Amino acid sequence: MLNLSIILEDSARAVPDRTALVYGDLRLPYAMVDSVANQVANLLVERGIGRGDKVALLCPNVPYFPFVYFGILKAGATVVPLNVLLQPREIAYHLDDSGAKALFCFEGTPELPTGARGREAADATEGCEHFFVLPATPLATESEYGESFWAALDGKSGEFETVGTGAEDVAAILYTSGTTGRPKGAELTHANLLLNTMVSDEMFPRDPEGDVSLAVLPLFHSFGQTSVMNVSLRRRATLVLVPRFEPGQALELMRGERVTMFAGVPTMYWAMLAKIHAGEAEVPASLQVAVSGAAACPVEVLKDFEATFGIPILEGYGLSETSPAACFNQLSRPTRPGTIGFPVWGVEMRLVDDDWNTVEGEGPGEIAVRGHNIMKGYHGRPEETAEVLRDGWFRTGDIATRDEEGYYSIVDRTKDMIIRGGFNIYPRELEEVLMTHPAVSLVAVVGVPHGSHGEEVKAYVIPSPGSAVTEAELVDWCRENMAAYKYPRIVEFCESLPMTATGKILKRELRRSRADVG
């Protein structure tokens, strides 16, 4: 018996009255959060959903997310968190690919119409038989999109005996992508996620008065899920939920809620520093731990933050497939700006060449990881799993060097992945969608340097003969057909694209010779 939900259950037993979640004016104790999760588990079991079944969750950083996340786990089912910015056909793909039997969907707002998108996607997915609406209005029992969460829970017991799952049972499927360009689900077991939570938690000091963590990273992402939500609940801390990052609000909440721990992507730190230096916000005195991941943080930002806040940013490295923490600058050793530090406890790293041979010395080489954090495999994709897993080692696709003291530094990526504002974007997926536009004959999507986002998405398009489509029209079409975080903001029309003799587009030439935005 091993179930990730133990991190919530244990804290609810030990400190039932302590505040677990803060959202606006709501302050929810551990006992209440665990009780609602038990109701969710009872609901699922009553609807015939249990061990081994998949349940999708489309929800921003609001209390519903942990309610449903842990309820799914308690029922023995597998949670499939989805990006709230996905469009209907993208949601439908994830539901179908995972085999989800149910979808818990946030009702949404005019700016974030998740309810309408989720309803459309669920109706288009044959196997998704249950649709539960998480109302934007607290405790609402009716919704135009379907069965309200609170109505569905009415009369359900707040007690539940957690289903006995095994360590190697899949707790969550987190969608990523790779060489095919089609998103694929990384199967993470209860052991993967529980051990990664424990290791991440124990790397950082605890405040004797109790920790408070600010959740601005999306909880559907592995970084926010493990390093923020699960770590916070495991250490019996208070988790302050923020659906959308805004630097002024984040700094205000840090001061008002006495936040001690913060995890973010580099652009978040950059934006908060800009607010402070402009005299529009003050430095929160309570912050003790600052963590950065998802993209390399500029050294100047690292230096500026430490000079301003009086504490270092601890940079780390990981992927969805590694649960995610694999390597980290830890307080037990001197931090080294510009590096990702050392492998975390129980994890090994080495550099390999294309044939899996170990690269000795400094490198460079591709990072391979082995340990308790490595995914079980890609859901329903044995061939793609075999490409990246061998003898327990997972090859990441990221190129790094290693200095004499063992610090690792990322120098390049073997994949064409774009990281825009901390979100992973996969060009092939966007290219496939763009190719459905009648005015597009051929397209290559690349990431180009951007001052605040790190990278921006740019599409080089060879137009169809006789086409009169404009850049603005094509960008607008992309906005309608792709998630907001990943559609190309820049389109450049061209007569040809650089190619190899075999016809493969040389994207590195596009990046090198044609692209830069401010």
Side-chain angles (χ1 to χ4, degrees):
M1 163 68 179
L2 183 69
N3 192 300
L4 180 62
S5 65
I6 191 64
I7 62 177
L8 172 61
E9 294 171 355
D10 184 70
S11 295
R13 284 191 293 265
V15 290
D17 299 324
R18 183 177 295 174
T19 300
L21 305 176
V22 171
Y23 178 65
D25 294 332
L26 293 175
R27 309 186 82 82
L28 309 179
Y30 271 92
M32 182 267 192
V33 176
D34 191 52
S35 177
V36 177
N38 285 336
Q39 289 183 288
V40 172
N42 278 309
L43 168 65
L44 291 173
V45 171
E46 183 182 279
R47 300 294 174 93
I49 296 172
R51 185 170 179 176
D53 292 328
K54 316 299 187 298
V55 180
L57 174 57
L58 184 68
C59 184
N61 291 11
V62 296
Y64 291 122
F65 194 99
F67 290 165
V68 176
Y69 182 90
F70 288 102
I72 294 169
L73 294 173
K74 285 170 177 279
T78 298
V79 60
V80 184
L82 301 179
N83 190 322
V84 296
L85 299 179
L86 295 176
Q87 295 292 339
R89 70 174 176 181
E90 295 169 317
I91 298 169
Y93 167 80
H94 289 78
L95 295 176
D96 183 66
D97 187 75
S98 66
K101 289 189 174 182
L103 170 61
F104 286 85
C105 182
F106 184 62
E107 191 170 42
T109 62
E111 297 78 24
L112 186 68
T114 45
R117 293 174 182 175
R119 179 78 267 178
E120 181 181 337
D123 288 344
T125 309
E126 184 176 347
C128 191
E129 300 174 356
H130 306 277
F131 186 84
F132 303 104
V133 181
L134 308 171
T137 303
L139 303 181
T141 57
E142 295 183 0
S143 171
E144 64 178 297
Y145 300 113
E147 186 174 11
S148 168
F149 177 75
W150 297 112
L153 293 191
D154 187 39
K156 301 294 182 293
S157 173
E159 300 290 330
F160 184 81
E161 185 174 345
T162 297
V163 172
T165 50
E168 293 304 308
D169 285 347
V170 178
I173 297 177
L174 302 186
Y175 272 83
T176 178
S177 191
T179 54
T180 65
R182 295 287 281 175
K184 52 186 181 291
E187 296 180 325
L188 301 175
T189 68
H190 288 271
N192 287 153
L193 291 170
L194 181 57
L195 282 168
N196 207 252
T197 296
M198 295 172 68
V199 168
S200 298
D201 180 15
E202 292 170 5
M203 283 194 297
F204 308 121
R206 294 173 181 250
D207 188 311
E209 297 182 13
D211 281 299
V212 180
S213 184
L214 189 65
V216 295
L217 290 167
L219 299 182
F220 57 74
H221 189 279
S222 60
F223 190 9
Q225 203 172 120
T226 293
S227 304
V228 180
M229 181 180 73
N230 289 348
V231 164
S232 179
L233 296 179
R234 196 243 176 183
R235 66 169 46 196
R236 301 167 187 173
T238 295
L239 183 66
V240 181
L241 296 166
V242 182
R244 183 173 181 176
F245 174 77
E246 196 285 317
Q249 180 198 30
L251 289 164
E252 184 179 342
L253 284 170
M254 283 185 191
R255 286 170 53 81
E257 297 293 342
R258 201 189 66 83
V259 168
T260 61
M261 301 182 66
F262 178 80
V265 298
T267 52
M268 292 178 178
Y269 288 103
W270 173 85
M272 290 191 297
L273 287 166
K275 279 283 183 184
I276 292 170
H277 295 328
E280 299 174 4
E282 297 180 28
V283 176
S286 59
L287 195 64
Q288 299 173 25
V289 176
V291 175
S292 180
C297 192
V299 173
E300 289 305 311
V301 172
L302 296 172
K303 292 178 179 177
D304 189 3
F305 184 87
E306 185 163 4
T308 303
F309 281 73
I311 61 172
I313 294 176
L314 304 175
E315 266 198 288
Y317 169 78
L319 306 91
S320 296
E321 294 94 333
T322 62
S323 302
C327 195
F328 234 93
N329 275 282
Q330 302 163 40
L331 291 175
S332 58
R333 299 188 184 187
T335 59
R336 185 162 295 177
T339 77
I340 55 172
F342 296 86
V344 301
W345 181 90
V347 170
E348 300 173 79
M349 282 177 46
R350 63 185 175 119
L351 303 179
V352 299
D353 62 19
D354 291 343
D355 298 316
W356 288 88
N357 299 311
T358 298
V359 175
E360 303 292 349
E362 182 178 318
E366 182 178 350
I367 295 175
V369 184
R370 180 170 68 177
H372 53 69
N373 58 338
I374 301 302
M375 68 171 181
K376 194 169 187 176
Y378 291 123
H379 180 67
R381 289 174 166 78
E383 292 182 1
E384 292 182 58
T385 298
E387 289 177 6
V388 296
L389 282 176
R390 179 181 295 185
D391 300 326
W393 288 95
F394 168 72
R395 60 187 313 154
T396 64
D398 291 310
I399 303 299
T401 57
R402 178 185 52 233
D403 68 18
E404 293 180 355
E405 296 180 58
Y407 287 83
Y408 284 81
S409 299
I410 302 292
V411 296
D412 203 352
R413 295 188 295 272
T414 59
K415 302 172 185 176
D416 289 324
M417 183 178 72
I418 301 166
I419 301 179
R420 180 184 185 273
F423 285 97
N424 293 349
I425 300 170
Y426 301 92
R428 174 70 182 277
E429 182 187 1
L430 309 191
E431 289 161 0
E432 291 289 341
V433 176
L434 272 162
M435 288 293 289
T436 67
H437 193 289
V440 177
S441 175
L442 188 63
V443 59
V445 173
V446 300
V448 297
H450 189 280
S452 60
H453 297 314
E455 290 183 294
E456 188 55 274
V457 184
K458 182 171 184 176
Y460 291 94
V461 174
I462 298 178
S464 300
S467 168
V469 69
T470 67
E471 175 184 349
E473 290 170 346
L474 197 52
V475 169
D476 286 343
W477 182 88
C478 291
R479 184 186 295 114
E480 298 255 337
N481 287 275
M482 302 174 194
Y485 70 94
K486 64 185 178 183
Y487 72 86
R489 265 65 171 180
I490 311 164
V491 171
E492 180 175 323
F493 295 104
C494 49
E495 295 181 358
S496 63
L497 294 169
M499 298 184 186
T500 66
T502 58
K504 181 178 179 180
I505 297 173
L506 288 168
K507 291 188 176 181
R508 65 177 180 271
E509 295 297 328
L510 292 175
R511 297 191 194 99
R512 181 182 305 145
S513 63
R514 304 190 184 188
D516 204 323
V517 293

